[in-house]
Amino acid sequence: MKIPPAIIDELISQARNDAPNESCGYLLGLVESPSAGGQAEALVTENYWMENIDHSPEHFSFAPSAQFAALRYARSKGLKILANWHSHPASPSRPSAEDLRLANDPTIRYAILSLHEGVHLNSFCIRNGVVTDKEVHR
């Protein structure tokens, strides 16, 4: 998944503004057609901020109505939800046990932006509670 630097900067700003609570949202974009013999590449075009209704530094939740609004918005723009993202204000950019347990959509990536010991952004494919792929974005 490709995330342009301007969108990464937006995520960092959002996470810093929401700290010490976790920040969250969806990464929306397009799936580019694969080149000959290649794999399709996902390109993030927007960060869709979502309120962390838990207002917690250790976990996050989306309101179901906000999730439906995000899906309607993405469809109206011809975009797909490529990733669910959240911040870890005081821990590394890796899925927690809770993140693994709650990652129930195998069609998207799960991105975690850490503000702990510098800024780190990684995204993961998670299948049945197991990380099957990791990409480093910053």
Side-chain angles (χ1 to χ4, degrees):
M1 178 173 68
K2 295 180 189 174
I3 308 173
I7 292 176
I8 292 174
D9 289 343
E10 187 179 325
L11 300 180
I12 294 167
S13 177
Q14 179 182 325
R16 286 180 173 155
N17 286 338
D18 290 347
N21 292 333
E22 288 190 0
S23 191
C24 55
Y26 284 130
L27 296 176
L28 309 178
L30 305 167
V31 178
E32 300 173 342
S33 299
S35 56
Q39 217 176 353
E41 182 75 37
L43 173 64
V44 174
T45 59
E46 289 188 47
N47 167 38
Y48 189 94
W49 177 85
M50 305 260 295
E51 179 184 3
N52 175 358
I53 62 171
D54 292 338
H55 304 285
S56 168
E58 297 174 356
H59 52 89
F60 74 99
S61 293
F62 299 143
S65 61
Q67 289 179 282
F68 287 119
L71 183 57
R72 282 192 303 274
Y73 173 83
R75 287 180 177 166
S76 76
K77 300 287 186 180
L79 303 173
K80 295 187 177 293
I81 295 174
L82 301 176
N84 166 325
W85 84 271
H86 70 282
S87 64
H88 280 182
S91 60
S93 176
R94 65 174 175 252
S96 66
E98 181 175 279
D99 294 335
L100 293 172
R101 183 176 56 80
L102 296 175
N104 57 17
D105 185 346
T107 67
I108 65 171
R109 296 187 71 81
Y110 293 86
I112 300 172
L113 174 72
S114 173
L115 301 176
H116 178 69
E117 298 179 356
V119 175
H120 306 278
L121 176 62
N122 300 314
S123 69
F124 307 87
C125 282
I126 301 173
R127 307 284 187 268
N128 299 316
V130 177
V131 172
T132 61
D133 176 66
K134 173 185 173 183
E135 291 180 353
V136 176
H137 301 282
R138 185 172 193 168

